[in-house]
Amino acid sequence: MNIGIDIEEVERFAKYVKDKKFLERIFAKEEISYSIPRKNAAQCLAARFAAKEAVWKALSTRNKFTVTDISIRNTKDGKPQVYIKNKKYKGIDISLSHTDKYVAAVAIVF
């Protein structure tokens, strides 16, 4: 079992909300279409980025991919799930949490 964790400042992502080139370089189209319409898009983007980083850290000993290959998508009931290269990755759970200023993510590989 491996664990990865990451924390990000929401303010850091506020400047990227309208930067289409940056968004498309870092996030999957599903992550962008999920995050941008939300009231606090920066918070949502920061949470997705933190989750990607946490997954990257948890899988660091066996990854043959980049952080941009990781995407976070929600089920219909809101549970975040990990996709790598557009395929659902089984064997990893993630949890996201946030305040107005910070987001945190934990990934557990089992």
Side-chain angles (χ1 to χ4, degrees):
M1 180 168 18
N2 289 331
I3 297 173
I5 187 168
D6 194 60
I7 186 168
E8 298 290 335
E9 291 182 79
V10 172
E11 185 177 317
R12 176 178 167 214
F13 289 83
K15 61 185 172 191
Y16 298 127
V17 170
K18 294 186 181 184
D19 186 342
K20 186 176 178 180
K21 284 185 180 184
F22 172 82
L23 294 176
E24 290 175 347
R25 192 173 69 241
I26 303 298
F27 298 99
K29 63 182 178 182
E30 295 85 3
E31 292 173 308
I32 296 168
S33 63
Y34 177 84
S35 301
I36 294 301
R38 299 201 170 278
K39 182 179 179 180
N40 195 340
Q43 186 182 63
C44 192
L45 291 169
R48 297 259 167 304
F49 187 79
K52 291 156 90 76
E53 286 286 314
V55 168
W56 173 259
K57 292 171 184 176
L59 294 173
S60 66
T61 59
R62 51 183 131 155
N63 58 26
K64 294 185 170 103
F65 49 86
T66 66
V67 171
T68 56
D69 292 329
I70 302 167
S71 64
I72 309 302
R73 303 178 194 172
N74 289 54
T75 63
K76 290 181 182 180
D77 64 353
K79 182 179 182 343
Q81 295 185 319
V82 176
Y83 285 74
I84 298 177
K85 296 184 179 180
N86 288 319
K87 293 181 183 171
K88 185 177 172 188
Y89 192 92
K90 296 179 182 177
I92 190 165
D93 279 335
I94 58 172
S95 180
L96 311 175
S97 189
H98 55 80
T99 67
D100 290 338
K101 293 184 179 186
Y102 299 98
V103 298
V106 175
I108 300 175
V109 177
F110 49 93

